[in-house]
PDB file of all heavy atoms in Angstrom:
ATOM      1  N   TYR A 667      -0.452  -0.546 -10.760  1.00  0.00           N
ATOM      2  CA  TYR A 667      -0.667  -1.678  -9.863  1.00  0.00           C
ATOM      3  C   TYR A 667      -1.685  -2.688 -10.393  1.00  0.00           C
ATOM      4  O   TYR A 667      -1.596  -3.839 -10.194  1.00  0.00           O
ATOM      5  CB  TYR A 667      -1.032  -1.265  -8.471  1.00  0.00           C
ATOM      6  CG  TYR A 667       0.171  -0.614  -7.732  1.00  0.00           C
ATOM      7  CD1 TYR A 667       0.172   0.712  -7.276  1.00  0.00           C
ATOM      8  CD2 TYR A 667       1.332  -1.396  -7.539  1.00  0.00           C
ATOM      9  CE1 TYR A 667       1.256   1.253  -6.622  1.00  0.00           C
ATOM     10  CE2 TYR A 667       2.457  -0.846  -6.841  1.00  0.00           C
ATOM     11  CZ  TYR A 667       2.426   0.470  -6.410  1.00  0.00           C
ATOM     12  OH  TYR A 667       3.459   0.994  -5.792  1.00  0.00           O
ATOM     13  N   THR A 668      -2.680  -2.205 -11.114  1.00  0.00           N
ATOM     14  CA  THR A 668      -3.655  -3.045 -11.690  1.00  0.00           C
ATOM     15  C   THR A 668      -2.949  -3.928 -12.791  1.00  0.00           C
ATOM     16  O   THR A 668      -3.158  -5.162 -12.832  1.00  0.00           O
ATOM     17  CB  THR A 668      -4.815  -2.306 -12.299  1.00  0.00           C
ATOM     18  OG1 THR A 668      -5.473  -1.599 -11.270  1.00  0.00           O
ATOM     19  CG2 THR A 668      -5.832  -3.147 -12.985  1.00  0.00           C
ATOM     20  N   LYS A 669      -2.146  -3.286 -13.627  1.00  0.00           N
ATOM     21  CA  LYS A 669      -1.429  -4.019 -14.701  1.00  0.00           C
ATOM     22  C   LYS A 669      -0.420  -4.989 -14.017  1.00  0.00           C
ATOM     23  O   LYS A 669      -0.291  -6.126 -14.535  1.00  0.00           O
ATOM     24  CB  LYS A 669      -0.655  -3.040 -15.568  1.00  0.00           C
ATOM     25  CG  LYS A 669      -1.545  -2.300 -16.555  1.00  0.00           C
ATOM     26  CD  LYS A 669      -0.753  -1.262 -17.323  1.00  0.00           C
ATOM     27  CE  LYS A 669      -1.615  -0.392 -18.130  1.00  0.00           C
ATOM     28  NZ  LYS A 669      -0.913   0.692 -18.787  1.00  0.00           N
ATOM     29  N   LEU A 670       0.261  -4.527 -12.946  1.00  0.00           N
ATOM     30  CA  LEU A 670       1.204  -5.423 -12.238  1.00  0.00           C
ATOM     31  C   LEU A 670       0.544  -6.702 -11.749  1.00  0.00           C
ATOM     32  O   LEU A 670       1.023  -7.778 -12.010  1.00  0.00           O
ATOM     33  CB  LEU A 670       1.826  -4.619 -11.082  1.00  0.00           C
ATOM     34  CG  LEU A 670       2.763  -5.448 -10.198  1.00  0.00           C
ATOM     35  CD1 LEU A 670       4.033  -5.758 -10.897  1.00  0.00           C
ATOM     36  CD2 LEU A 670       3.029  -4.689  -8.867  1.00  0.00           C
ATOM     37  N   PHE A 671      -0.616  -6.506 -11.056  1.00  0.00           N
ATOM     38  CA  PHE A 671      -1.226  -7.728 -10.486  1.00  0.00           C
ATOM     39  C   PHE A 671      -1.906  -8.583 -11.495  1.00  0.00           C
ATOM     40  O   PHE A 671      -1.908  -9.791 -11.453  1.00  0.00           O
ATOM     41  CB  PHE A 671      -2.180  -7.305  -9.398  1.00  0.00           C
ATOM     42  CG  PHE A 671      -1.551  -6.920  -8.121  1.00  0.00           C
ATOM     43  CD1 PHE A 671      -1.588  -5.525  -7.699  1.00  0.00           C
ATOM     44  CD2 PHE A 671      -0.801  -7.779  -7.376  1.00  0.00           C
ATOM     45  CE1 PHE A 671      -0.865  -5.169  -6.541  1.00  0.00           C
ATOM     46  CE2 PHE A 671      -0.114  -7.358  -6.233  1.00  0.00           C
ATOM     47  CZ  PHE A 671      -0.202  -6.021  -5.795  1.00  0.00           C
ATOM     48  N   ASN A 672      -2.373  -7.970 -12.623  1.00  0.00           N
ATOM     49  CA  ASN A 672      -2.927  -8.813 -13.722  1.00  0.00           C
ATOM     50  C   ASN A 672      -1.793  -9.595 -14.390  1.00  0.00           C
ATOM     51  O   ASN A 672      -2.004 -10.793 -14.638  1.00  0.00           O
ATOM     52  CB  ASN A 672      -3.590  -7.924 -14.756  1.00  0.00           C
ATOM     53  CG  ASN A 672      -4.916  -7.330 -14.302  1.00  0.00           C
ATOM     54  OD1 ASN A 672      -5.558  -7.890 -13.352  1.00  0.00           O
ATOM     55  ND2 ASN A 672      -5.421  -6.259 -14.980  1.00  0.00           N
ATOM     56  N   MET A 673      -0.677  -9.032 -14.595  1.00  0.00           N
ATOM     57  CA  MET A 673       0.490  -9.765 -15.178  1.00  0.00           C
ATOM     58  C   MET A 673       0.941 -10.842 -14.245  1.00  0.00           C
ATOM     59  O   MET A 673       1.282 -11.932 -14.607  1.00  0.00           O
ATOM     60  CB  MET A 673       1.633  -8.816 -15.460  1.00  0.00           C
ATOM     61  CG  MET A 673       1.475  -8.009 -16.697  1.00  0.00           C
ATOM     62  SD  MET A 673       2.980  -7.112 -17.114  1.00  0.00           S
ATOM     63  CE  MET A 673       2.527  -5.482 -16.661  1.00  0.00           C
ATOM     64  N   LEU A 674       0.972 -10.499 -12.934  1.00  0.00           N
ATOM     65  CA  LEU A 674       1.396 -11.459 -11.903  1.00  0.00           C
ATOM     66  C   LEU A 674       0.463 -12.649 -11.909  1.00  0.00           C
ATOM     67  O   LEU A 674       0.958 -13.817 -11.745  1.00  0.00           O
ATOM     68  CB  LEU A 674       1.505 -10.772 -10.577  1.00  0.00           C
ATOM     69  CG  LEU A 674       2.173 -11.505  -9.437  1.00  0.00           C
ATOM     70  CD1 LEU A 674       3.590 -11.793  -9.864  1.00  0.00           C
ATOM     71  CD2 LEU A 674       2.149 -10.689  -8.143  1.00  0.00           C
ATOM     72  N   ASN A 675      -0.875 -12.439 -12.020  1.00  0.00           N
ATOM     73  CA  ASN A 675      -1.780 -13.544 -11.987  1.00  0.00           C
ATOM     74  C   ASN A 675      -1.622 -14.428 -13.231  1.00  0.00           C
ATOM     75  O   ASN A 675      -1.949 -15.586 -13.145  1.00  0.00           O
ATOM     76  CB  ASN A 675      -3.221 -13.007 -11.893  1.00  0.00           C
ATOM     77  CG  ASN A 675      -3.529 -12.480 -10.506  1.00  0.00           C
ATOM     78  OD1 ASN A 675      -2.896 -12.872  -9.526  1.00  0.00           O
ATOM     79  ND2 ASN A 675      -4.453 -11.513 -10.437  1.00  0.00           N
ATOM     80  N   GLU A 676      -1.231 -13.861 -14.364  1.00  0.00           N
ATOM     81  CA  GLU A 676      -1.149 -14.577 -15.577  1.00  0.00           C
ATOM     82  C   GLU A 676       0.251 -15.355 -15.670  1.00  0.00           C
ATOM     83  O   GLU A 676       0.340 -16.332 -16.395  1.00  0.00           O
ATOM     84  CB  GLU A 676      -1.220 -13.635 -16.774  1.00  0.00           C
ATOM     85  CG  GLU A 676      -2.546 -13.102 -17.016  1.00  0.00           C
ATOM     86  CD  GLU A 676      -2.636 -12.065 -18.035  1.00  0.00           C
ATOM     87  OE1 GLU A 676      -1.628 -11.920 -18.813  1.00  0.00           O
ATOM     88  OE2 GLU A 676      -3.643 -11.406 -18.248  1.00  0.00           O
ATOM     89  N   LEU A 677       1.201 -14.941 -14.875  1.00  0.00           N
ATOM     90  CA  LEU A 677       2.571 -15.573 -14.919  1.00  0.00           C
ATOM     91  C   LEU A 677       2.570 -16.859 -14.164  1.00  0.00           C
ATOM     92  O   LEU A 677       2.061 -16.968 -13.082  1.00  0.00           O
ATOM     93  CB  LEU A 677       3.563 -14.698 -14.285  1.00  0.00           C
ATOM     94  CG  LEU A 677       4.273 -13.676 -15.158  1.00  0.00           C
ATOM     95  CD1 LEU A 677       5.244 -12.807 -14.279  1.00  0.00           C
ATOM     96  CD2 LEU A 677       5.028 -14.295 -16.262  1.00  0.00           C
ATOM     97  N   GLU A 678       3.128 -17.827 -14.831  1.00  0.00           N
ATOM     98  CA  GLU A 678       3.368 -19.126 -14.149  1.00  0.00           C
ATOM     99  C   GLU A 678       4.587 -19.009 -13.226  1.00  0.00           C
ATOM    100  O   GLU A 678       4.518 -19.549 -12.108  1.00  0.00           O
ATOM    101  CB  GLU A 678       3.609 -20.202 -15.182  1.00  0.00           C
ATOM    102  CG  GLU A 678       3.607 -21.593 -14.578  1.00  0.00           C
ATOM    103  CD  GLU A 678       3.591 -22.651 -15.713  1.00  0.00           C
ATOM    104  OE1 GLU A 678       2.833 -22.547 -16.718  1.00  0.00           O
ATOM    105  OE2 GLU A 678       4.381 -23.641 -15.567  1.00  0.00           O
ATOM    106  N   ASP A 679       5.660 -18.410 -13.681  1.00  0.00           N
ATOM    107  CA  ASP A 679       6.820 -18.184 -12.906  1.00  0.00           C
ATOM    108  C   ASP A 679       6.797 -16.761 -12.425  1.00  0.00           C
ATOM    109  O   ASP A 679       7.269 -15.813 -13.054  1.00  0.00           O
ATOM    110  CB  ASP A 679       8.078 -18.485 -13.779  1.00  0.00           C
ATOM    111  CG  ASP A 679       8.157 -19.838 -14.246  1.00  0.00           C
ATOM    112  OD1 ASP A 679       7.743 -20.801 -13.491  1.00  0.00           O
ATOM    113  OD2 ASP A 679       8.608 -20.076 -15.420  1.00  0.00           O
ATOM    114  N   LYS A 680       6.322 -16.603 -11.202  1.00  0.00           N
ATOM    115  CA  LYS A 680       6.076 -15.264 -10.610  1.00  0.00           C
ATOM    116  C   LYS A 680       7.396 -14.443 -10.473  1.00  0.00           C
ATOM    117  O   LYS A 680       7.326 -13.171 -10.579  1.00  0.00           O
ATOM    118  CB  LYS A 680       5.426 -15.336  -9.263  1.00  0.00           C
ATOM    119  CG  LYS A 680       4.153 -16.195  -9.196  1.00  0.00           C
ATOM    120  CD  LYS A 680       2.969 -15.427  -9.702  1.00  0.00           C
ATOM    121  CE  LYS A 680       1.716 -16.262  -9.406  1.00  0.00           C
ATOM    122  NZ  LYS A 680       0.766 -16.245 -10.417  1.00  0.00           N
ATOM    123  N   TYR A 681       8.466 -15.092 -10.350  1.00  0.00           N
ATOM    124  CA  TYR A 681       9.731 -14.344 -10.136  1.00  0.00           C
ATOM    125  C   TYR A 681      10.153 -13.600 -11.433  1.00  0.00           C
ATOM    126  O   TYR A 681      11.084 -12.724 -11.336  1.00  0.00           O
ATOM    127  CB  TYR A 681      10.866 -15.293  -9.709  1.00  0.00           C
ATOM    128  CG  TYR A 681      11.095 -16.431 -10.687  1.00  0.00           C
ATOM    129  CD1 TYR A 681      12.000 -16.237 -11.720  1.00  0.00           C
ATOM    130  CD2 TYR A 681      10.507 -17.651 -10.542  1.00  0.00           C
ATOM    131  CE1 TYR A 681      12.243 -17.327 -12.608  1.00  0.00           C
ATOM    132  CE2 TYR A 681      10.737 -18.724 -11.376  1.00  0.00           C
ATOM    133  CZ  TYR A 681      11.568 -18.489 -12.395  1.00  0.00           C
ATOM    134  OH  TYR A 681      11.848 -19.514 -13.276  1.00  0.00           O
ATOM    135  N   LEU A 682       9.463 -13.803 -12.508  1.00  0.00           N
ATOM    136  CA  LEU A 682       9.835 -13.100 -13.757  1.00  0.00           C
ATOM    137  C   LEU A 682       9.129 -11.746 -13.862  1.00  0.00           C
ATOM    138  O   LEU A 682       9.341 -11.037 -14.891  1.00  0.00           O
ATOM    139  CB  LEU A 682       9.477 -13.975 -14.951  1.00  0.00           C
ATOM    140  CG  LEU A 682      10.310 -15.273 -15.128  1.00  0.00           C
ATOM    141  CD1 LEU A 682       9.713 -16.100 -16.276  1.00  0.00           C
ATOM    142  CD2 LEU A 682      11.729 -14.949 -15.348  1.00  0.00           C
ATOM    143  N   ILE A 683       8.331 -11.366 -12.882  1.00  0.00           N
ATOM    144  CA  ILE A 683       7.629 -10.108 -12.983  1.00  0.00           C
ATOM    145  C   ILE A 683       8.416  -8.911 -13.242  1.00  0.00           C
ATOM    146  O   ILE A 683       8.026  -8.055 -13.996  1.00  0.00           O
ATOM    147  CB  ILE A 683       6.709  -9.968 -11.728  1.00  0.00           C
ATOM    148  CG1 ILE A 683       5.684  -8.854 -11.969  1.00  0.00           C
ATOM    149  CG2 ILE A 683       7.487  -9.683 -10.489  1.00  0.00           C
ATOM    150  CD1 ILE A 683       4.612  -9.077 -12.950  1.00  0.00           C
ATOM    151  N   SER A 684       9.611  -8.816 -12.663  1.00  0.00           N
ATOM    152  CA  SER A 684      10.468  -7.642 -12.839  1.00  0.00           C
ATOM    153  C   SER A 684      10.966  -7.555 -14.291  1.00  0.00           C
ATOM    154  O   SER A 684      11.312  -6.458 -14.754  1.00  0.00           O
ATOM    155  CB  SER A 684      11.659  -7.664 -11.912  1.00  0.00           C
ATOM    156  OG  SER A 684      12.536  -8.679 -12.268  1.00  0.00           O
ATOM    157  N   GLU A 685      10.997  -8.648 -15.009  1.00  0.00           N
ATOM    158  CA  GLU A 685      11.352  -8.559 -16.421  1.00  0.00           C
ATOM    159  C   GLU A 685      10.319  -8.102 -17.371  1.00  0.00           C
ATOM    160  O   GLU A 685      10.624  -7.571 -18.446  1.00  0.00           O
ATOM    161  CB  GLU A 685      11.803  -9.997 -16.845  1.00  0.00           C
ATOM    162  CG  GLU A 685      12.918 -10.576 -16.031  1.00  0.00           C
ATOM    163  CD  GLU A 685      14.259  -9.837 -16.224  1.00  0.00           C
ATOM    164  OE1 GLU A 685      14.512  -9.346 -17.324  1.00  0.00           O
ATOM    165  OE2 GLU A 685      15.005  -9.763 -15.285  1.00  0.00           O
ATOM    166  N   ILE A 686       9.053  -8.169 -16.999  1.00  0.00           N
ATOM    167  CA  ILE A 686       7.989  -7.797 -17.928  1.00  0.00           C
ATOM    168  C   ILE A 686       7.246  -6.483 -17.550  1.00  0.00           C
ATOM    169  O   ILE A 686       6.586  -6.020 -18.430  1.00  0.00           O
ATOM    170  CB  ILE A 686       7.000  -8.960 -18.088  1.00  0.00           C
ATOM    171  CG1 ILE A 686       6.266  -9.235 -16.818  1.00  0.00           C
ATOM    172  CG2 ILE A 686       7.618 -10.088 -18.718  1.00  0.00           C
ATOM    173  CD1 ILE A 686       5.173 -10.260 -16.981  1.00  0.00           C
ATOM    174  N   ILE A 687       7.394  -6.039 -16.337  1.00  0.00           N
ATOM    175  CA  ILE A 687       6.704  -4.739 -16.000  1.00  0.00           C
ATOM    176  C   ILE A 687       7.430  -3.563 -16.626  1.00  0.00           C
ATOM    177  O   ILE A 687       8.687  -3.588 -16.651  1.00  0.00           O
ATOM    178  CB  ILE A 687       6.465  -4.546 -14.468  1.00  0.00           C
ATOM    179  CG1 ILE A 687       7.768  -4.535 -13.750  1.00  0.00           C
ATOM    180  CG2 ILE A 687       5.513  -5.538 -13.953  1.00  0.00           C
ATOM    181  CD1 ILE A 687       7.621  -4.244 -12.278  1.00  0.00           C
ATOM    182  N   LYS A 688       6.695  -2.625 -17.106  1.00  0.00           N
ATOM    183  CA  LYS A 688       7.277  -1.464 -17.694  1.00  0.00           C
ATOM    184  C   LYS A 688       7.734  -0.523 -16.643  1.00  0.00           C
ATOM    185  O   LYS A 688       7.299  -0.570 -15.459  1.00  0.00           O
ATOM    186  CB  LYS A 688       6.225  -0.692 -18.573  1.00  0.00           C
ATOM    187  CG  LYS A 688       5.797  -1.544 -19.830  1.00  0.00           C
ATOM    188  CD  LYS A 688       4.731  -0.837 -20.607  1.00  0.00           C
ATOM    189  CE  LYS A 688       4.325  -1.624 -21.753  1.00  0.00           C
ATOM    190  NZ  LYS A 688       3.239  -1.052 -22.528  1.00  0.00           N
ATOM    191  N   ASN A 689       8.671   0.340 -17.002  1.00  0.00           N
ATOM    192  CA  ASN A 689       9.190   1.347 -16.005  1.00  0.00           C
ATOM    193  C   ASN A 689       8.097   2.302 -15.675  1.00  0.00           C
ATOM    194  O   ASN A 689       7.514   2.992 -16.552  1.00  0.00           O
ATOM    195  CB  ASN A 689      10.367   2.115 -16.578  1.00  0.00           C
ATOM    196  CG  ASN A 689      11.561   1.268 -16.611  1.00  0.00           C
ATOM    197  OD1 ASN A 689      11.842   0.416 -15.787  1.00  0.00           O
ATOM    198  ND2 ASN A 689      12.497   1.500 -17.603  1.00  0.00           N
ATOM    199  N   PRO A 690       7.702   2.393 -14.372  1.00  0.00           N
ATOM    200  CA  PRO A 690       6.635   3.339 -14.011  1.00  0.00           C
ATOM    201  C   PRO A 690       7.165   4.769 -14.031  1.00  0.00           C
ATOM    202  O   PRO A 690       8.392   5.072 -14.069  1.00  0.00           O
ATOM    203  CB  PRO A 690       6.375   2.875 -12.525  1.00  0.00           C
ATOM    204  CG  PRO A 690       7.527   2.067 -12.166  1.00  0.00           C
ATOM    205  CD  PRO A 690       8.224   1.596 -13.315  1.00  0.00           C
ATOM    206  N   SER A 691       6.192   5.696 -14.065  1.00  0.00           N
ATOM    207  CA  SER A 691       6.484   7.125 -14.223  1.00  0.00           C
ATOM    208  C   SER A 691       6.576   7.767 -12.778  1.00  0.00           C
ATOM    209  O   SER A 691       6.939   8.984 -12.790  1.00  0.00           O
ATOM    210  CB  SER A 691       5.434   7.795 -15.041  1.00  0.00           C
ATOM    211  OG  SER A 691       4.209   7.641 -14.451  1.00  0.00           O
ATOM    212  N   PHE A 692       6.298   7.074 -11.766  1.00  0.00           N
ATOM    213  CA  PHE A 692       6.310   7.710 -10.442  1.00  0.00           C
ATOM    214  C   PHE A 692       7.422   6.987  -9.518  1.00  0.00           C
ATOM    215  O   PHE A 692       7.749   5.867  -9.754  1.00  0.00           O
ATOM    216  CB  PHE A 692       4.920   7.631  -9.777  1.00  0.00           C
ATOM    217  CG  PHE A 692       4.350   6.268  -9.698  1.00  0.00           C
ATOM    218  CD1 PHE A 692       4.462   5.620  -8.439  1.00  0.00           C
ATOM    219  CD2 PHE A 692       3.774   5.629 -10.755  1.00  0.00           C
ATOM    220  CE1 PHE A 692       3.907   4.356  -8.301  1.00  0.00           C
ATOM    221  CE2 PHE A 692       3.255   4.385 -10.587  1.00  0.00           C
ATOM    222  CZ  PHE A 692       3.312   3.721  -9.369  1.00  0.00           C
ATOM    223  N   LEU A 693       7.949   7.815  -8.564  1.00  0.00           N
ATOM    224  CA  LEU A 693       9.084   7.336  -7.791  1.00  0.00           C
ATOM    225  C   LEU A 693       8.789   6.073  -7.028  1.00  0.00           C
ATOM    226  O   LEU A 693       9.653   5.178  -7.082  1.00  0.00           O
ATOM    227  CB  LEU A 693       9.498   8.440  -6.795  1.00  0.00           C
ATOM    228  CG  LEU A 693      10.623   8.184  -5.899  1.00  0.00           C
ATOM    229  CD1 LEU A 693      11.925   7.860  -6.667  1.00  0.00           C
ATOM    230  CD2 LEU A 693      10.901   9.252  -4.882  1.00  0.00           C
ATOM    231  N   GLU A 694       7.689   5.951  -6.386  1.00  0.00           N
ATOM    232  CA  GLU A 694       7.346   4.751  -5.656  1.00  0.00           C
ATOM    233  C   GLU A 694       7.419   3.507  -6.518  1.00  0.00           C
ATOM    234  O   GLU A 694       7.895   2.474  -6.099  1.00  0.00           O
ATOM    235  CB  GLU A 694       5.908   4.913  -4.999  1.00  0.00           C
ATOM    236  CG  GLU A 694       5.463   3.793  -4.149  1.00  0.00           C
ATOM    237  CD  GLU A 694       4.093   4.074  -3.692  1.00  0.00           C
ATOM    238  OE1 GLU A 694       3.872   4.995  -2.935  1.00  0.00           O
ATOM    239  OE2 GLU A 694       3.175   3.314  -4.096  1.00  0.00           O
ATOM    240  N   GLY A 695       6.836   3.627  -7.743  1.00  0.00           N
ATOM    241  CA  GLY A 695       6.879   2.517  -8.633  1.00  0.00           C
ATOM    242  C   GLY A 695       8.249   2.167  -9.112  1.00  0.00           C
ATOM    243  O   GLY A 695       8.648   0.974  -9.239  1.00  0.00           O
ATOM    244  N   LYS A 696       9.121   3.214  -9.320  1.00  0.00           N
ATOM    245  CA  LYS A 696      10.521   2.936  -9.717  1.00  0.00           C
ATOM    246  C   LYS A 696      11.230   2.230  -8.605  1.00  0.00           C
ATOM    247  O   LYS A 696      11.992   1.322  -8.931  1.00  0.00           O
ATOM    248  CB  LYS A 696      11.194   4.252 -10.084  1.00  0.00           C
ATOM    249  CG  LYS A 696      10.655   4.893 -11.393  1.00  0.00           C
ATOM    250  CD  LYS A 696      11.362   6.217 -11.659  1.00  0.00           C
ATOM    251  CE  LYS A 696      10.700   6.817 -12.844  1.00  0.00           C
ATOM    252  NZ  LYS A 696      11.246   8.152 -13.110  1.00  0.00           N
ATOM    253  N   LEU A 697      11.018   2.626  -7.352  1.00  0.00           N
ATOM    254  CA  LEU A 697      11.726   1.939  -6.221  1.00  0.00           C
ATOM    255  C   LEU A 697      11.220   0.589  -6.078  1.00  0.00           C
ATOM    256  O   LEU A 697      11.966  -0.341  -5.787  1.00  0.00           O
ATOM    257  CB  LEU A 697      11.378   2.741  -4.913  1.00  0.00           C
ATOM    258  CG  LEU A 697      11.965   4.141  -4.860  1.00  0.00           C
ATOM    259  CD1 LEU A 697      11.453   4.872  -3.585  1.00  0.00           C
ATOM    260  CD2 LEU A 697      13.499   4.095  -4.835  1.00  0.00           C
ATOM    261  N   PHE A 698       9.913   0.349  -6.335  1.00  0.00           N
ATOM    262  CA  PHE A 698       9.336  -1.044  -6.272  1.00  0.00           C
ATOM    263  C   PHE A 698       9.957  -1.878  -7.316  1.00  0.00           C
ATOM    264  O   PHE A 698      10.357  -3.002  -7.061  1.00  0.00           O
ATOM    265  CB  PHE A 698       7.811  -0.819  -6.476  1.00  0.00           C
ATOM    266  CG  PHE A 698       6.975  -2.064  -6.052  1.00  0.00           C
ATOM    267  CD1 PHE A 698       7.014  -2.432  -4.736  1.00  0.00           C
ATOM    268  CD2 PHE A 698       6.229  -2.676  -7.034  1.00  0.00           C
ATOM    269  CE1 PHE A 698       6.181  -3.560  -4.352  1.00  0.00           C
ATOM    270  CE2 PHE A 698       5.449  -3.796  -6.605  1.00  0.00           C
ATOM    271  CZ  PHE A 698       5.417  -4.210  -5.323  1.00  0.00           C
ATOM    272  N   LYS A 699      10.024  -1.420  -8.557  1.00  0.00           N
ATOM    273  CA  LYS A 699      10.677  -2.223  -9.637  1.00  0.00           C
ATOM    274  C   LYS A 699      12.114  -2.423  -9.405  1.00  0.00           C
ATOM    275  O   LYS A 699      12.589  -3.585  -9.584  1.00  0.00           O
ATOM    276  CB  LYS A 699      10.472  -1.525 -10.933  1.00  0.00           C
ATOM    277  CG  LYS A 699      10.984  -2.369 -12.140  1.00  0.00           C
ATOM    278  CD  LYS A 699      10.659  -1.716 -13.452  1.00  0.00           C
ATOM    279  CE  LYS A 699      10.879  -2.778 -14.563  1.00  0.00           C
ATOM    280  NZ  LYS A 699      11.924  -2.761 -15.345  1.00  0.00           N
ATOM    281  N   ASN A 700      12.808  -1.559  -8.859  1.00  0.00           N
ATOM    282  CA  ASN A 700      14.277  -1.623  -8.496  1.00  0.00           C
ATOM    283  C   ASN A 700      14.385  -2.747  -7.415  1.00  0.00           C
ATOM    284  O   ASN A 700      15.302  -3.578  -7.502  1.00  0.00           O
ATOM    285  CB  ASN A 700      14.797  -0.275  -8.033  1.00  0.00           C
ATOM    286  CG  ASN A 700      16.328  -0.410  -7.829  1.00  0.00           C
ATOM    287  OD1 ASN A 700      16.746  -0.960  -6.785  1.00  0.00           O
ATOM    288  ND2 ASN A 700      17.102   0.054  -8.808  1.00  0.00           N
ATOM    289  N   ALA A 701      13.573  -2.690  -6.507  1.00  0.00           N
ATOM    290  CA  ALA A 701      13.564  -3.720  -5.396  1.00  0.00           C
ATOM    291  C   ALA A 701      13.385  -5.145  -6.014  1.00  0.00           C
ATOM    292  O   ALA A 701      14.092  -6.078  -5.675  1.00  0.00           O
ATOM    293  CB  ALA A 701      12.555  -3.486  -4.285  1.00  0.00           C
ATOM    294  N   PHE A 702      12.395  -5.239  -6.913  1.00  0.00           N
ATOM    295  CA  PHE A 702      12.117  -6.529  -7.569  1.00  0.00           C
ATOM    296  C   PHE A 702      13.368  -7.000  -8.261  1.00  0.00           C
ATOM    297  O   PHE A 702      13.709  -8.227  -8.202  1.00  0.00           O
ATOM    298  CB  PHE A 702      10.982  -6.366  -8.578  1.00  0.00           C
ATOM    299  CG  PHE A 702       9.615  -6.688  -8.061  1.00  0.00           C
ATOM    300  CD1 PHE A 702       8.472  -6.062  -8.730  1.00  0.00           C
ATOM    301  CD2 PHE A 702       9.353  -7.501  -6.981  1.00  0.00           C
ATOM    302  CE1 PHE A 702       7.244  -6.289  -8.237  1.00  0.00           C
ATOM    303  CE2 PHE A 702       8.140  -7.685  -6.508  1.00  0.00           C
ATOM    304  CZ  PHE A 702       7.036  -7.127  -7.188  1.00  0.00           C
ATOM    305  N   GLU A 703      14.046  -6.083  -9.011  1.00  0.00           N
ATOM    306  CA  GLU A 703      15.168  -6.467  -9.786  1.00  0.00           C
ATOM    307  C   GLU A 703      16.370  -6.869  -8.910  1.00  0.00           C
ATOM    308  O   GLU A 703      16.965  -7.844  -9.217  1.00  0.00           O
ATOM    309  CB  GLU A 703      15.577  -5.308 -10.687  1.00  0.00           C
ATOM    310  CG  GLU A 703      14.631  -5.019 -11.832  1.00  0.00           C
ATOM    311  CD  GLU A 703      14.938  -3.698 -12.571  1.00  0.00           C
ATOM    312  OE1 GLU A 703      15.703  -2.854 -12.030  1.00  0.00           O
ATOM    313  OE2 GLU A 703      14.338  -3.492 -13.644  1.00  0.00           O
ATOM    314  N   GLN A 704      16.521  -6.253  -7.759  1.00  0.00           N
ATOM    315  CA  GLN A 704      17.569  -6.677  -6.822  1.00  0.00           C
ATOM    316  C   GLN A 704      17.277  -8.018  -6.201  1.00  0.00           C
ATOM    317  O   GLN A 704      18.182  -8.838  -6.005  1.00  0.00           O
ATOM    318  CB  GLN A 704      17.737  -5.575  -5.737  1.00  0.00           C
ATOM    319  CG  GLN A 704      18.374  -4.337  -6.224  1.00  0.00           C
ATOM    320  CD  GLN A 704      18.617  -3.382  -5.165  1.00  0.00           C
ATOM    321  OE1 GLN A 704      18.742  -3.684  -3.958  1.00  0.00           O
ATOM    322  NE2 GLN A 704      18.635  -2.005  -5.469  1.00  0.00           N
TER     323      GLN A 704
END
């Protein structure tokens, strides 16, 4: 989540966040990333 919010703060186009975050190793993060992608 620290990496996620740091990347989000640096992004000009916030909707691109799902394209640059790495696949998390835990289920909650995977669900979160999947929701972003959808």
Side-chain angles (χ1 to χ4, degrees):
Y667 288 117
T668 300
K669 288 176 187 172
L670 173 73
F671 286 112
N672 286 341
M673 283 189 253
L674 194 58
N675 288 333
E676 292 174 9
L677 270 177
E678 190 172 313
D679 298 322
K680 308 280 189 219
Y681 59 87
L682 295 174
I683 191 68
S684 68
E685 299 296 325
I686 62 171
I687 58 174
K688 294 180 182 173
N689 286 328
S691 61
F692 57 100
L693 179 62
E694 180 183 297
K696 289 177 184 178
L697 294 172
F698 197 61
K699 184 170 194 258
N700 185 281
F702 271 154
E703 289 169 348
Q704 288 182 25

